[in-house]
Amino acid sequence: MNQNFNLLFYPKKQKKHNEDGLSPIYLRISVGGKRSEISIGREIHPDQWDNRRNKVIGTRMESRVLNDYMNSIIAKIRKIHTGMIDRDEEIDAETIRNNYLGKGTKWKMILEIFQEHNEKFAELVGNGYSANTLKTYRSSIKHLSAYIVLKYDKPDYPLVKVNFEFITGYEHYLRVEKGCMAISAQKYIVHLKKMIFFSLASGWIVANPFLHYKLNAKPSARTFLTQTELDTMRAKTLHVQRHIQVRDIFVFSCYTGLAYIDVQKLQRSEVQIGDDGKEWIFTSRTKTKTPSRIPILAEAKEILDRYKKHPICEIKGLALPVYSNQRMNSYLKEIADHCGITKILTFHLARHTFATTVTLSNGVPIETVSKMLGHNSLKTTQHYAKVLDSKTGYDMSLLAEKLSKRANVKAPKKKNKSKIKILKLYQGT
């Protein structure tokens, strides 16, 4: 498709000039020798036009503004032309003109694309993708739809019109109108970004509205139980069976680092003897499908043994009888009240506790922790694993002790060579 493509502005001669003697400026689009023309809605006196340079003569403000306007039209039409080439469409002057005017074209709509994505994603749930992830995408399209209705009073919005202002406005809506935390708002913006990048790759748009937008939300500090709080929960005498069961499974996660879904699906067959002759958990994370190999500590082993004969475990071959996530989190709040723990307990807090209190604060290298957690990146582990102040203080006290011992070691006395020489002369040697 190597057709000649050219754009030319010119003041069109009129049979009857207006009272000021001005002529309308037209744009001529030429493709393969065929032309199509369009008025740009501006007028100029023919004497002010430079035919050779195809622009308005002079440096006055009016001249510069008009020249900039024509340059912006050229940029838009070149983008249309480039997009048609990328999509391998049949190109002619009239089609380019109609695209520029918005005639005879059906624009892709952002919510339409988002909905198509969610429908395809739903078909993949259970085949590499989780239902929870689909749930977040559905929440995302719900927020985006509400924003478009509120801001533009339309049921959908043209993809080609999504720009920097649209994105920043959406972020403001999420933070102010919906009350989302910064990290939650960023998650929804990332979903929108995915739709935009898919559209770029598909050739539906040629400009990236995210080019100058930066995601700068910082992850919030991870909450975890201290060793004292964990010991208090383990030692607390509970009288309701569901509380005992939920407490045990929560503590098991504190000493293994398994997320709720991974504890729920943990099979007895995944508890095996490792190369060291001790019991390990050999499983893979539901979220990322990455392998996770975890040595079973005595605290976790005790809980596994306690539920070996539980009817649900025996029938289904499960390691532990786990309630639904909603019930677990509800009962954990009741347990926290019984134990005098003021932190808001959720099951995922156990994973944070494993990364900080149980492992890192006891000197386990972060690389080892990352492997047991099943993370693909060490950076992810750093978000979970906050080094406790007590560990920092302990490490610095060891350093202070070493420095103190080094300072107390007396340096060996240097021999005085002049005195030795005098002594030898006196002795006649």
Side-chain angles (χ1 to χ4, degrees):
M1 222 183 305
N2 296 321
Q3 296 172 309
N4 291 328
F5 170 66
N6 189 46
L7 301 173
L8 176 69
F9 290 101
Y10 68 96
K12 192 169 188 176
K13 294 180 181 180
Q14 302 291 311
K15 291 181 179 179
K16 289 184 179 181
H17 290 286
N18 59 26
E19 295 178 358
D20 298 325
L22 301 177
S23 298
I25 300 176
Y26 271 69
L27 171 64
R28 178 183 295 155
I29 305 170
S30 302
V31 177
K34 294 185 178 181
R35 302 173 178 178
S36 184
E37 296 182 344
I38 178 177
S39 171
I40 69 169
R42 299 289 189 276
E43 294 178 322
I44 191 175
H45 197 283
D47 293 341
Q48 294 179 294
W49 186 258
D50 187 336
N51 288 314
R52 185 176 63 85
R53 300 175 66 189
N54 196 31
K55 64 187 295 187
V56 181
I57 298 171
T59 58
R60 292 185 306 166
M61 177 63 71
E62 295 83 352
S63 301
R64 292 202 303 270
V65 169
L66 185 49
N67 284 329
D68 288 343
Y69 177 64
M70 291 189 294
N71 287 335
S72 70
I73 292 175
I74 290 174
K76 289 177 182 178
I77 291 181
R78 289 196 182 280
K79 281 184 180 179
I80 292 170
H81 181 255
T82 302
M84 293 176 72
I85 292 174
D86 291 341
R87 294 188 295 272
D88 198 26
E89 295 179 3
E90 191 68 32
I91 300 174
D92 58 65
E94 192 67 20
T95 303
I96 293 175
R97 175 184 179 277
N98 289 338
N99 272 316
Y100 174 72
L101 295 175
K103 295 180 180 179
T105 58
K106 185 181 182 301
W107 284 343
K108 284 281 187 179
M109 309 298 278
I110 184 62
L111 293 178
E112 174 192 358
I113 294 166
F114 213 137
Q115 184 60 35
E116 289 174 0
H117 165 273
N118 286 3
E119 289 171 0
K120 291 179 180 177
F121 195 98
E123 295 173 356
L124 295 172
V125 169
N127 186 20
Y129 298 94
S130 70
N132 283 336
T133 306
L134 175 61
K135 186 178 178 181
T136 62
Y137 275 113
R138 285 175 173 167
S139 296
S140 193
I141 194 173
K142 182 179 178 181
H143 288 319
L144 186 59
S145 177
Y147 166 67
I148 290 172
V149 171
L150 179 67
K151 180 73 181 287
Y152 302 100
D153 194 24
K154 294 180 179 179
D156 207 337
Y157 197 73
L159 180 64
V160 294
K161 290 189 176 183
V162 175
N163 54 18
F164 181 82
E165 181 185 0
F166 180 96
I167 298 166
T168 54
Y170 182 42
E171 181 186 12
H172 185 268
Y173 166 81
L174 290 169
R175 297 290 303 278
V176 177
E177 297 293 333
K178 303 304 294 183
C180 293
M181 299 293 289
I183 197 70
S184 297
Q186 178 169 291
K187 176 182 66 177
Y188 295 127
I189 295 293
V190 167
H191 289 171
L192 174 60
K193 188 176 183 180
K194 181 179 179 181
M195 302 306 123
I196 293 298
F197 277 27
F198 176 74
S199 301
L200 283 166
S202 300
W204 298 330
I205 54 175
V206 294
N208 178 14
F210 276 92
L211 185 61
H212 300 293
Y213 180 85
K214 290 186 178 180
L215 299 167
N216 50 20
K218 303 295 182 184
S220 57
R222 304 293 182 178
T223 306
F224 53 89
L225 294 183
T226 64
Q227 188 63 56
T228 300
E229 290 169 331
L230 182 55
D231 290 341
T232 298
M233 179 176 281
R234 290 184 62 210
K236 183 68 177 178
T237 300
L238 301 173
H239 303 286
V240 181
Q241 181 55 40
R242 66 173 182 271
H243 287 168
I244 295 171
Q245 188 172 322
V246 170
R247 185 267 309 275
D248 288 346
I249 296 168
F250 178 82
V251 170
F252 175 81
S253 183
C254 287
Y255 283 97
T256 59
L258 291 175
Y260 166 79
I261 188 64
D262 298 321
V263 176
Q264 185 190 45
K265 73 175 184 61
L266 185 64
Q267 299 287 315
R268 290 182 173 185
S269 58
E270 292 178 302
V271 178
Q272 303 172 13
I273 303 299
D275 294 337
D276 57 358
K278 298 179 181 179
E279 286 187 317
W280 287 53
I281 293 172
F282 292 85
T283 186
S284 60
R285 289 204 65 200
T286 303
K287 183 177 180 180
T288 61
K289 303 301 178 185
T290 54
S292 186
R293 307 289 183 262
I294 308 163
I296 300 178
L297 298 172
E299 294 82 353
K301 177 71 166 60
E302 178 187 344
I303 294 170
L304 283 176
D305 292 342
R306 191 177 303 160
Y307 290 93
K308 273 186 176 180
K309 295 184 179 181
H310 193 282
I312 292 178
C313 296
E314 288 188 328
I315 294 170
K316 297 184 178 181
L318 296 172
L320 294 167
V322 183
Y323 293 116
S324 70
N325 196 21
Q326 185 178 4
R327 290 180 67 189
M328 294 286 285
N329 287 332
S330 177
Y331 295 152
L332 279 171
K333 290 174 176 59
E334 296 174 6
I335 294 168
D337 291 337
H338 286 302
C339 297
I341 297 172
T342 57
K343 293 171 182 173
I344 299 175
L345 290 192
T346 62
F347 196 87
H348 201 66
L349 187 142
R351 189 166 166 85
H352 303 178
T353 302
F354 174 78
T356 55
T357 305
V358 174
T359 54
L360 281 181
S361 62
N362 286 306
V364 179
I366 193 170
E367 294 82 4
T368 303
V369 176
S370 183
K371 188 174 181 180
M372 288 190 290
L373 290 173
H375 287 162
N376 289 320
S377 167
L378 197 62
K379 187 176 180 180
T380 307
T381 314
Q382 290 168 340
H383 292 161
Y384 279 90
K386 174 184 174 183
V387 179
L388 302 173
D389 291 340
S390 58
K391 175 68 168 105
T392 304
Y394 175 74
D395 290 341
M396 292 304 289
S397 66
L398 289 179
L399 174 61
E401 187 178 341
K402 288 180 181 179
L403 293 175
S404 177
K405 287 181 179 180
R406 190 178 299 170
N408 291 333
V409 175
K410 294 182 179 180
K413 293 182 179 181
K414 294 182 180 180
K415 294 181 179 180
N416 193 320
K417 292 183 179 180
S418 60
K419 287 184 178 181
I420 294 174
K421 187 176 181 181
I422 294 171
L423 182 60
K424 285 183 178 181
L425 288 171
Y426 178 77
Q427 294 175 341
T429 59

